[in-house]
């Protein structure tokens, strides 16, 4: 009898999961057949692991990264967010629906969350700020526009 050693979504990642994620971080467009060769597993195993990682929320999707200076007119910012009581999970779920929010981090100290956002212009930036501040469970926020990377 063959024992299934594929970890379930509640268990920590194994070495193959971590290597798969590392390869995808370098190039999210790597074909499944190439991933299988790199990991020395079958294409079916790669696909099953990708499906499981997506279903568990470990992988949020596949995307491209654009150089910061690609669009010199875009605005990038960091937003610190204070959350009411124990509503952090619900707030995170709502914030993930705002496409301009690229990353959300939990943190310690005065703020509960730190969000990285990008907007194409000031009007869109203003709308994103308003959307976040109107999100149920958000008590307060403070936003800093990133001027340049040094």
């Amino acid at each position: 009898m063959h024992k299934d050693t594929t970890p379930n979504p509640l268990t920590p990642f194994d070495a193959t999961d971590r290597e798969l994620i590392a390869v995808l971080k370098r190039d999210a467009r790597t074909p499944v057949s190439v991933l299988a060769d790199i990991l020395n597993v079958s294409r079916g195993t790669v696909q099953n692991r990708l499906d499981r990682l997506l279903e568990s929320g470990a992988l949020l999707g596949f995307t491209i990264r654009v150089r910061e200076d690609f669009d010199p007119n875009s605005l990038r910012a960091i937003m610190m967010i204070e959350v009411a009581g124990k509503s952090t999970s619900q707030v995170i779920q709502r914030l993930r629906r705002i496409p301009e929010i690229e990353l959300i981090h939990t943190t310690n100290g005065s703020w509960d969350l730190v969000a990285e956002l990008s907007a194409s212009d000031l009007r869109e930036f203003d709308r994103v700020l308003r959307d976040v501040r109107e999100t149920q469970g958000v008590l307060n926020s403070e936003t800093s526009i990133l001027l340049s990377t040094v």
Side-chain angles (χ1 to χ4, degrees):
M1 179 162 85
H2 179 263
K3 181 181 175 191
D4 182 12
T5 59
T6 304
N8 72 44
L10 301 176
T11 61
F13 301 131
D14 66 10
T16 304
D17 291 326
R18 287 189 295 275
E19 188 175 0
L20 175 58
I21 291 168
V23 171
L24 291 172
K25 280 183 177 180
R26 288 190 299 271
D27 183 1
R29 295 179 55 197
T30 304
V32 171
S33 60
V34 173
L35 292 169
D37 288 342
I38 292 170
L39 301 174
N40 199 26
V41 297
S42 71
R43 288 186 300 198
T45 297
V46 170
Q47 190 61 59
N48 288 339
R49 285 177 181 262
L50 287 172
D51 292 344
R52 183 180 47 77
L53 290 168
L54 285 164
E55 287 172 17
S56 73
L59 289 180
L60 299 176
F62 302 88
T63 185
I64 62 167
R65 295 180 319 178
V66 178
R67 275 191 4 224
E68 288 179 30
D69 61 349
F70 177 75
D71 182 2
N73 297 320
S74 71
L75 298 170
R76 293 184 34 84
I78 299 292
M79 176 182 268
M80 284 71 69
I81 302 166
E82 181 183 3
V83 176
K86 298 181 179 182
S87 62
T88 303
S89 295
Q90 293 86 358
V91 169
I92 291 171
Q93 288 176 339
R94 291 178 187 117
L95 294 179
R96 283 186 176 155
R97 295 185 192 125
I98 301 173
E100 294 82 6
I101 295 180
E102 297 176 345
L103 294 170
I104 303 170
H105 310 276
T106 58
T107 187
N108 65 332
S110 300
W111 303 103
D112 300 300
L113 300 172
V114 175
E116 296 181 40
L117 59 98
S118 179
S120 61
D121 56 36
L122 282 173
R123 180 173 293 166
E124 183 177 86
F125 181 71
D126 183 50
R127 181 192 50 78
V128 173
L129 295 183
R130 190 171 41 260
D131 288 351
V132 171
R133 290 177 180 146
E134 291 175 353
T135 298
Q136 184 179 354
V138 171
L139 291 177
N140 192 17
S141 67
E142 180 179 319
T143 306
S144 295
I145 296 175
L146 302 174
L147 300 175
S148 62
T149 301
V150 294

